[in-house]
């Protein structure tokens, strides 16, 4: 049924949710966003699933927004842009509130929305060769809908080190920033993820779900007001001259005016 993701559950109840657009570096298209929302609903309803492992197929974990999706936003009106931004926000919320532990197996690079995907995992472990970055400002945009989850994961002080500069950073710095719990050689990633998965199989599933909800309730409040604020902020950027220039420059393979 799914075309951009896969779901595979083993006999223990460990479901691997794989972003499956390797030829596009698992960039998020509108279809992928909708499929992820549907997958999250199914996983919540499936009592046989105890743990979810989120990963990507191919060389990259997630390169952020799909180029076709970005081009469509550039040509859309504000209402359409707001609607599309809300789908992205709903996907992140669906994964963040999943009533199962989510372990990220970040096997490759994660940019923009890919950093947001890593941030909604309860634990994210990365391959030590990967690069990450919040690259939106290079395009005249901002990391808006992913922002609440990124800042909840890193804290404001650490987030401000990378939130606005669009610079890339490696796995070791991602651990220091709190995005990754640990970084390991790529050939040890599966073993490290399994070490995070195994303890949950000895726990009462209902207690795990209740404890996760309590942790969210006690942490930063990611409610509808926050989500609405991020959507409005993103649409405002899309409406501005910088986004039009940045995205046009990207597709035209030239430097935007602010790079001289």
């Amino acid at each position: 049924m799914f075309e951009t993701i896969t779901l595979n559950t083993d006999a223990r109840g460990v479901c691997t949710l794989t972003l499956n657009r390797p030829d596009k570096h698992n960039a998020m298209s509108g279809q992928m966003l909708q499929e992820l929302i549907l997958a999250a609903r199914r996983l919540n309803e499936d009592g046989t699933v105890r743990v979810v492992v989120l990963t990507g197929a191919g060389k990259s974990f997630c390169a952020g927004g799909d180029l076709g999706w970005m081009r469509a936003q550039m040509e859309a009106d504000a209402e359409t842009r707001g609607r599309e931004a809300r789908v992205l926000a709903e996907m992140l919320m669906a994964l963040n509130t999943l009533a199962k532990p989510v372990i990220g197996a970040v096997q490759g690079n994660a940019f923009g929305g890919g950093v947001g995907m890593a941030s909604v995992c309860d634990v994210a472990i990365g391959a030590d060769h990967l690069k990450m970055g919040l690259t939106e400002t290079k395009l005249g945009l901002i990391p808006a809908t992913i922002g609440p989850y990124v800042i909840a994961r890193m804290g404001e002080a650490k987030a401000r080190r990378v939130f606005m500069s669009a610079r890339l950073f490696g796995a070791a710095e991602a651990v220091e920033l709190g995005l990754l719990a640990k970084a390991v050689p790529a050939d040890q990633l599966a073993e490290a993820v399994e070490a995070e998965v195994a303890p949950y199989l000895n726990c009462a599933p209902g207690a795990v779900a209740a404890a996760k909800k309590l942790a969210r309730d006690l942490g930063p409040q990611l409610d509808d007001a926050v989500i609405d604020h991020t959507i409005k902020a993103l649409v405002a950027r899309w409406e501005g001259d910088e986004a039009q220039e940045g995205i046009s420059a990207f597709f035209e393979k030239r430097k935007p005016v602010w790079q001289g």
Side-chain angles (χ1 to χ4, degrees), residues 109-138:
N109 294 345
F111 304 131
V115 176
M117 293 285 280
S119 297
V120 299
C121 296
D122 297 300
V123 178
I125 301 173
D128 61 6
H129 67 274
L130 65 74
K131 296 290 184 183
M132 303 182 85
L134 293 153
T135 51
E136 289 86 350
T137 55
K138 289 182 71 173

Side-chain angles (χ1 to χ4, degrees), residues 196-220:
E196 295 293 335
V197 167
Y200 286 109
L201 304 179
N202 295 319
C203 298
V208 170
K212 179 172 178 175
K213 183 178 185 304
L214 180 62
R216 293 199 324 269
D217 290 344
L218 296 174

Side-chain angles (χ1 to χ4, degrees), residues 3-78:
E3 296 180 356
T4 67
I5 63 174
T6 63
L7 290 176
N8 291 291
T9 304
D10 67 19
R12 303 173 301 164
V14 178
C15 180
T16 300
L17 193 171
T18 305
L19 308 180
N20 194 32
R21 301 183 75 212
D23 56 322
K24 302 293 186 182
H25 296 276
N26 298 318
M28 292 183 292
S29 63
Q31 181 180 2
M32 179 183 278
L33 297 178
Q34 294 287 358
E35 290 187 358
L36 284 167
I37 291 171
L38 178 57
R41 290 174 184 160
R42 289 190 178 181
L43 290 168
N44 259 336
E45 295 168 358
D46 189 342
T48 68
V49 173
R50 303 282 299 277
V51 184
V52 176
V53 175
L54 175 62
T55 193
K59 295 181 178 180
S60 299
F61 176 67
C62 178
D66 176 78
L67 296 182
W69 183 85
M70 288 175 54
R71 188 185 293 275
Q73 302 321 300
M74 193 169 90
E75 298 170 353
D77 57 25

Side-chain angles (χ1 to χ4, degrees), residues 1 26-27 33 48 55 79 85 108 115 124 152 161 169 171 191 205 234 252:
M1 169 171 280
N26 298 318
L33 297 178
T48 68
T55 193
E79 182 179 354
V115 176
R161 289 166 50 181
F169 49 92
E191 180 182 355
L234 180 58
E252 294 165 11

Side-chain angles (χ1 to χ4, degrees), residues 68-112:
W69 183 85
M70 288 175 54
R71 188 185 293 275
Q73 302 321 300
M74 193 169 90
E75 298 170 353
D77 57 25
E79 182 179 354
T80 301
R81 289 168 177 163
R83 186 167 57 248
E84 289 298 304
R86 188 168 296 280
V87 174
L88 174 55
E90 288 177 359
M91 182 276 290
L92 292 166
M93 180 66 80
L95 290 177
N96 191 61
T97 58
L98 197 66
K100 325 270 177 163
V102 179
I103 312 300
V106 186
Q107 88 294 348
N109 294 345
F111 304 131

Side-chain angles (χ1 to χ4, degrees), residues 134 147-164 177 220:
L134 293 153
Y149 307 99
V150 172
I151 292 174
R153 174 54 53 88
M154 288 197 272
E156 182 187 349
K158 288 184 177 180
R160 285 168 66 166
R161 289 166 50 181
V162 294
F163 201 71
M164 303 88 77
L177 290 167

